[in-house]
Amino acid sequence: MSGVDARRIGLVWSGLLLLAVLLLPWFKGGGGSALTQALEGRVWLMPLVAIGGGLALLSAMARDWRIHPAGAVLVGAGLVWLILQGFAIGLRGPAIAGLETLLPASAAGQPGFGWGAWIAGIALIGALADLLAGRGFCRGERFAALSIVGIVAALSLFVFFPILRLVATAFVAADGTVSLAPFAARLTAPELWATRCLTGAGRCGVVINSVILGVLSATLATALGLALALLVARTDFRLKRLLRALSILPIITPPFVVGVAIIVLFGRTGIVTVELAELMGVRPTRWIYGLPGILMAQVLAFAPVTFLVILSALEAINPTLEEASTTLGARPVTTFRRVTWPLLRPALAAAFLLAFIESLSDFGNPIVLGGSYDVLSTRIFFAVVGAQYDLGHAATLSLILLALTVGAFWVQQRWVGRASYVTVTGKSDAGLTAAVPPLVKWAAIAAVVPFVVFTTGIYAIVLVGGFVGDIARMDLTPTVAHVWTAFSFEITDRGVQLFGSAWNSMITTLWVSALSAPLTMGIGILTAWLITRQDFTGKRLFEFGTLLSFAVPGTVVGVSYIAAFNVPPIDITGTLWILVICFVFRNMAVGMRAGVAALAQIDRSMEEASQTMGAGGGRVMVDVVLPLIKPAIFTALVYAFVTAMTAVSAVIFLVSARHNMATAYIMGRVENGEFALAIAYSTVLMLVMMACIGLMNLGIGRRKLGRRSALSKGKAT
């Protein structure tokens, strides 16, 4: 980059910083800029004004401000002071010991950051990225440096900082003092670790309950997913299309729906329960509430997901290995046991881990079907929103939940080991896929057929229940009263007037999903490009940071955001933006992984050709990379959108009366026993999601390689 370009870009960042400190409101609620606030008594803001002026002067006078020693000093001092003046002052004044002598009494009650502080932070981060690029970071590629520094800053603020704040909150006593004693008392409470249920002497603690549920749910869901995958990939089973269709339904199903449908079928006055009582004289009980009901709902919800994981691995196995085993005289059972099964170990471990973590963080099914069976997710919820607000107790439980998920990752790595499972190479493949042994086939059918029947019954309840009088009492009179209660409207002279009770939550959900999905996809794909196409110091640590937010259970994310963003300087709890931010950094890892997989199939020479012609990193990204990875873009966009529409474990802590979400509304209806209204809303939500996914497919289009599309338009000659 020439000295003129460096000076121009430096003036852009310094001008943005001066705009923030001289003109924009520094705090929420008005009060003037940083300069105005400093002149009125908040003198600790004056250094930022001086730093902005100094950076502008240096950019204008120096040949290349990025390599000038004063440039690093000014940018570093600006970032440090911005963070210090924001986080050192609490609601009651200086929060760090010793600052009382430096900050006046007017520091008490400082509000949260306003537009001025946020723009100043962006300007300083941009200047830092430019400075690093000028000193050789990312080989001087400014776009890559800016992307890396920006993503690291965002991860630090919205992933690492909330987790650290959560850890600190766990050591806070009821009177607000910091001590190890309250954490130790909460951690060793008998109600957490009791094992009486294992000996039949009583109930187990909440941690033991969660682990038992997680292991059982993950084991059954993985086994059922394996059976589904074997039938689809290695047999002539006639219902393959139906099995693939069933794998999509849980992705677009709101979390409470399955639990409600199970109650309608097997509750004390459920359809199946009443029929059994009349035909066989079985006395109705509440057996569905507790471990059996939660386990049934979780296996039903997680088995299709484990099926997709195992199916992808099963279809990727090179068939020549199994054919070679058969050629050497091995029986089908021996081939399956010695060849196929070992190659499925990574997929089985990944499926089990996914189901285990989802079970631990699942909130919808335990809150509906839990009864007296306590698990960590519901206990954390009631610690925050219950009669006794105890954020310290919720933080301790969240750390236990986080430790369990991290432990599951470690166990998975130990079980899979460092062995190689590569079977697809550059050599030609002419092998035939081996069918599973008859014994395995019939065992899989025996497991899958009841699952198909049960799932069909559940979704029949979902599709019908919202449009009949009362399906729980077999009142099948067609009606749209439930939908009209939720989404009634009236067309008047003033336009369309919305009166339904669910409009607020639906509109908020659509806004949050529409805002978070493109951001999630964009950051995820950009991160994938940086990881696969750039070489820089700390690359592995950067990749780990992007995956951390996805590994953290949603319940922990929600509690950590309350601990971090419920007080100044970043007091965004109760706003629309905290919901958007939560989804963006919770799901960006999916977009990153989809992008990494897509970029691995694209030769770098295509991008290098553009760079040779003088295109910068940003131009190459837009004109070359993005058109070639449209499938990954579609995957990331759909996943982010659907997750934002149906998530509950994280956002249940972050919704407010003004910004309510669809899942929170459905939960309220379930708690009030309004099952028909909850089912009707869920059905509408699923239809809306399918329509939006169709529009995304049309908007993104398909990747077109070569000239096949052009040739198909012409006539054969």
Side-chain angles (χ1 to χ4, degrees), residues 227-266:
L228 289 165
L230 290 175
L231 286 182
V232 170
R234 298 299 178 89
T235 70
D236 55 353
F237 192 60
R238 295 183 179 181
L239 300 179
K240 291 183 179 182
R241 292 186 177 180
L242 175 61
L243 296 182
R244 288 183 179 273
L246 291 177
S247 67
I248 300 175
L249 289 176
I251 300 175
I252 62 173
T253 302
F256 301 102
V257 174
V258 174
V260 171
I262 289 176
I263 293 176
V264 171
L265 286 175
F266 301 105

Coordinates of all heavy atoms in Angstrom, one line a residue, residues 227-266:
A227 N -29.9 -47.1 12.9 CA -30.9 -48.0 12.2 C -31.5 -47.3 11.0 O -31.6 -47.9 9.9 CB -32.0 -48.4 13.2
L228 N -31.9 -46.0 11.2 CA -32.4 -45.3 10.1 C -31.4 -45.2 8.9 O -31.8 -45.3 7.7 CB -32.9 -43.9 10.5 CG -34.1 -43.8 11.5 CD1 -34.2 -42.5 12.1 CD2 -35.4 -44.1 10.7
A229 N -30.2 -44.9 9.2 CA -29.1 -44.7 8.2 C -28.9 -46.0 7.5 O -28.7 -46.0 6.3 CB -27.9 -44.1 8.9
L230 N -28.8 -47.1 8.2 CA -28.5 -48.4 7.6 C -29.7 -48.8 6.6 O -29.4 -49.3 5.5 CB -28.4 -49.5 8.6 CG -27.1 -49.4 9.5 CD1 -27.1 -50.4 10.5 CD2 -25.8 -49.6 8.6
L231 N -30.9 -48.5 7.0 CA -32.0 -48.8 6.1 C -32.0 -48.0 4.9 O -32.3 -48.5 3.8 CB -33.4 -48.6 6.9 CG -33.7 -49.7 7.9 CD1 -35.1 -49.4 8.5 CD2 -33.7 -51.1 7.3
V232 N -31.7 -46.7 5.0 CA -31.7 -45.8 3.8 C -30.5 -46.1 2.9 O -30.7 -46.1 1.7 CB -31.7 -44.4 4.3 CG1 -31.4 -43.4 3.1 CG2 -33.0 -44.0 5.0
A233 N -29.3 -46.3 3.5 CA -28.1 -46.4 2.6 C -27.8 -47.9 2.2 O -27.1 -48.0 1.2 CB -26.9 -45.8 3.4
R234 N -28.2 -48.9 3.0 CA -27.7 -50.2 2.7 C -28.8 -51.3 2.6 O -28.5 -52.5 2.7 CB -26.7 -50.6 3.8 CG -25.5 -49.7 3.9 CD -24.7 -49.8 2.7 NE -23.5 -48.9 2.7 CZ -22.3 -49.3 3.1 NH1 -22.1 -50.5 3.6 NH2 -21.3 -48.5 3.1
T235 N -30.0 -50.9 2.4 CA -31.1 -51.9 2.2 C -32.0 -51.4 1.1 O -31.9 -50.3 0.5 CB -31.9 -52.1 3.5 OG1 -32.7 -50.9 3.7 CG2 -31.0 -52.4 4.6
D236 N -32.9 -52.3 0.7 CA -34.0 -52.0 -0.3 C -35.3 -51.6 0.4 O -36.4 -51.8 -0.2 CB -34.2 -53.1 -1.2 CG -34.5 -54.4 -0.5 OD1 -34.5 -54.4 0.8 OD2 -34.9 -55.4 -1.1
F237 N -35.2 -51.0 1.6 CA -36.4 -50.6 2.3 C -37.2 -49.7 1.5 O -36.7 -48.7 0.9 CB -35.9 -50.0 3.7 CG -37.0 -49.8 4.7 CD1 -37.7 -50.9 5.1 CD2 -37.4 -48.5 5.1 CE1 -38.8 -50.7 6.1 CE2 -38.4 -48.4 6.1 CZ -39.1 -49.5 6.5
R238 N -38.5 -49.9 1.5 CA -39.4 -49.1 0.6 C -39.8 -47.7 1.1 O -40.3 -46.9 0.3 CB -40.7 -49.9 0.4 CG -40.5 -51.2 -0.4 CD -41.8 -51.9 -0.6 NE -41.6 -53.2 -1.4 CZ -42.6 -54.0 -1.7 NH1 -43.9 -53.6 -1.4 NH2 -42.4 -55.1 -2.4
L239 N -39.5 -47.5 2.4 CA -39.9 -46.2 3.0 C -38.8 -45.2 3.1 O -38.7 -44.4 4.0 CB -40.6 -46.4 4.3 CG -41.8 -47.3 4.3 CD1 -42.4 -47.4 5.8 CD2 -42.9 -46.7 3.4
K240 N -37.8 -45.3 2.2 CA -36.6 -44.4 2.3 C -37.0 -42.9 2.2 O -36.5 -42.1 2.9 CB -35.6 -44.8 1.2 CG -35.0 -46.2 1.4 CD -33.9 -46.4 0.3 CE -33.3 -47.8 0.5 NZ -32.2 -48.0 -0.5
R241 N -37.9 -42.6 1.3 CA -38.2 -41.2 1.1 C -39.0 -40.7 2.4 O -38.7 -39.5 2.8 CB -39.1 -41.0 -0.1 CG -38.4 -41.3 -1.4 CD -39.3 -40.9 -2.6 NE -38.5 -41.1 -3.9 CZ -39.1 -40.9 -5.1 NH1 -40.3 -40.4 -5.2 NH2 -38.4 -41.0 -6.2
L242 N -39.8 -41.5 2.9 CA -40.5 -41.1 4.2 C -39.5 -40.9 5.3 O -39.6 -39.9 6.1 CB -41.5 -42.2 4.6 CG -42.2 -42.0 5.9 CD1 -43.0 -40.7 5.8 CD2 -43.1 -43.1 6.2
L243 N -38.5 -41.7 5.4 CA -37.4 -41.6 6.5 C -36.7 -40.3 6.3 O -36.4 -39.6 7.2 CB -36.5 -42.8 6.5 CG -37.1 -44.1 6.8 CD1 -36.0 -45.2 6.8 CD2 -37.8 -44.1 8.1
R244 N -36.3 -39.9 5.0 CA -35.6 -38.7 4.8 C -36.5 -37.5 5.1 O -36.1 -36.5 5.6 CB -35.2 -38.6 3.3 CG -34.0 -39.6 3.0 CD -33.5 -39.4 1.6 NE -32.4 -40.3 1.3 CZ -31.1 -40.0 1.4 NH1 -30.8 -38.8 2.0 NH2 -30.2 -40.8 1.1
A245 N -37.8 -37.6 4.8 CA -38.7 -36.5 5.1 C -38.9 -36.3 6.6 O -38.9 -35.2 7.1 CB -40.1 -36.8 4.5
L246 N -38.9 -37.4 7.3 CA -39.0 -37.3 8.8 C -37.8 -36.7 9.4 O -37.9 -36.1 10.5 CB -39.2 -38.7 9.4 CG -40.6 -39.4 9.1 CD1 -40.6 -40.8 9.7 CD2 -41.7 -38.5 9.7
S247 N -36.7 -36.8 8.7 CA -35.4 -36.2 9.3 C -35.5 -34.7 9.2 O -34.7 -34.0 9.9 CB -34.2 -36.7 8.5 OG -34.2 -36.2 7.2
I248 N -36.3 -34.1 8.4 CA -36.4 -32.6 8.3 C -37.3 -32.0 9.3 O -37.1 -30.9 9.8 CB -36.9 -32.2 6.8 CG1 -35.9 -32.8 5.8 CG2 -37.0 -30.8 6.7 CD1 -36.3 -32.6 4.4
L249 N -38.4 -32.7 9.7 CA -39.4 -32.2 10.5 C -38.9 -31.6 11.9 O -39.3 -30.5 12.3 CB -40.5 -33.2 10.8 CG -41.4 -33.5 9.6 CD1 -42.4 -34.6 9.9 CD2 -42.1 -32.3 9.1
P250 N -38.0 -32.3 12.6 CA -37.5 -31.8 13.9 C -36.8 -30.5 13.7 O -36.8 -29.7 14.7 CB -36.6 -32.9 14.4 CG -37.1 -34.1 13.8 CD -37.5 -33.7 12.4
I251 N -36.2 -30.2 12.6 CA -35.5 -29.0 12.4 C -36.4 -27.8 12.4 O -36.0 -26.7 12.9 CB -34.6 -29.1 11.1 CG1 -33.7 -30.3 11.1 CG2 -33.9 -27.8 10.8 CD1 -32.9 -30.5 9.8
I252 N -37.6 -27.9 11.9 CA -38.5 -26.8 11.8 C -39.6 -26.9 12.8 O -40.6 -26.2 12.7 CB -39.1 -26.7 10.4 CG1 -39.9 -27.9 10.0 CG2 -38.0 -26.4 9.3 CD1 -40.7 -27.8 8.7
T253 N -39.5 -27.7 13.8 CA -40.5 -27.9 14.8 C -40.2 -27.1 16.1 O -39.1 -27.3 16.6 CB -40.6 -29.4 15.2 OG1 -41.0 -30.2 14.0 CG2 -41.8 -29.6 16.2
P254 N -41.1 -26.3 16.5 CA -40.8 -25.6 17.8 C -40.6 -26.6 18.9 O -41.2 -27.6 18.9 CB -42.1 -24.7 18.0 CG -42.6 -24.6 16.6 CD -42.3 -25.8 15.9
P255 N -39.8 -26.3 19.9 CA -39.4 -27.2 20.9 C -40.5 -27.8 21.8 O -40.4 -28.9 22.4 CB -38.3 -26.5 21.8 CG -38.7 -25.0 21.5 CD -39.2 -24.9 20.1
F256 N -41.6 -27.0 22.0 CA -42.6 -27.5 22.9 C -43.6 -28.4 22.3 O -44.4 -29.1 22.9 CB -43.4 -26.3 23.5 CG -42.5 -25.3 24.2 CD1 -42.1 -24.2 23.7 CD2 -42.1 -25.6 25.5 CE1 -41.3 -23.3 24.3 CE2 -41.3 -24.8 26.2 CZ -40.9 -23.6 25.6
V257 N -43.6 -28.5 20.9 CA -44.7 -29.1 20.2 C -44.7 -30.6 20.5 O -45.8 -31.2 20.7 CB -44.6 -28.8 18.7 CG1 -45.7 -29.6 17.9 CG2 -44.8 -27.3 18.4
V258 N -43.6 -31.2 20.4 CA -43.5 -32.7 20.6 C -44.0 -33.1 22.0 O -44.8 -34.0 22.2 CB -42.1 -33.2 20.4 CG1 -42.0 -34.7 20.7 CG2 -41.7 -33.0 18.9
G259 N -43.6 -32.3 23.0 CA -44.0 -32.6 24.4 C -45.5 -32.4 24.5 O -46.2 -33.2 25.2
V260 N -46.1 -31.4 23.9 CA -47.5 -31.2 24.0 C -48.3 -32.3 23.3 O -49.3 -32.8 23.8 CB -47.9 -29.8 23.3 CG1 -49.4 -29.7 23.2 CG2 -47.4 -28.7 24.2
A261 N -47.8 -32.7 22.1 CA -48.4 -33.8 21.4 C -48.4 -35.1 22.2 O -49.3 -35.9 22.2 CB -47.8 -34.0 20.0
I262 N -47.3 -35.4 22.9 CA -47.2 -36.6 23.7 C -48.2 -36.5 24.9 O -48.8 -37.5 25.2 CB -45.7 -36.7 24.3 CG1 -44.8 -37.1 23.1 CG2 -45.7 -37.7 25.4 CD1 -43.3 -37.2 23.5
I263 N -48.4 -35.3 25.5 CA -49.4 -35.2 26.5 C -50.8 -35.5 26.0 O -51.6 -36.2 26.6 CB -49.3 -33.8 27.2 CG1 -48.0 -33.6 27.9 CG2 -50.5 -33.6 28.1 CD1 -47.8 -32.2 28.5
V264 N -51.1 -34.9 24.8 CA -52.4 -35.2 24.2 C -52.6 -36.7 23.9 O -53.7 -37.2 24.0 CB -52.5 -34.4 22.8 CG1 -53.7 -34.7 22.1 CG2 -52.5 -32.9 23.1
L265 N -51.6 -37.4 23.6 CA -51.7 -38.8 23.3 C -51.7 -39.7 24.6 O -52.5 -40.6 24.8 CB -50.6 -39.3 22.4 CG -50.7 -38.9 20.9 CD1 -49.5 -39.3 20.1 CD2 -51.9 -39.5 20.3
F266 N -50.7 -39.4 25.5 CA -50.5 -40.3 26.6 C -50.7 -39.7 28.0 O -50.4 -40.3 29.0 CB -49.0 -40.8 26.5 CG -48.7 -41.6 25.3 CD1 -47.9 -41.0 24.3 CD2 -49.2 -42.8 25.0 CE1 -47.6 -41.6 23.1 CE2 -48.9 -43.5 23.9 CZ -48.1 -42.9 22.9

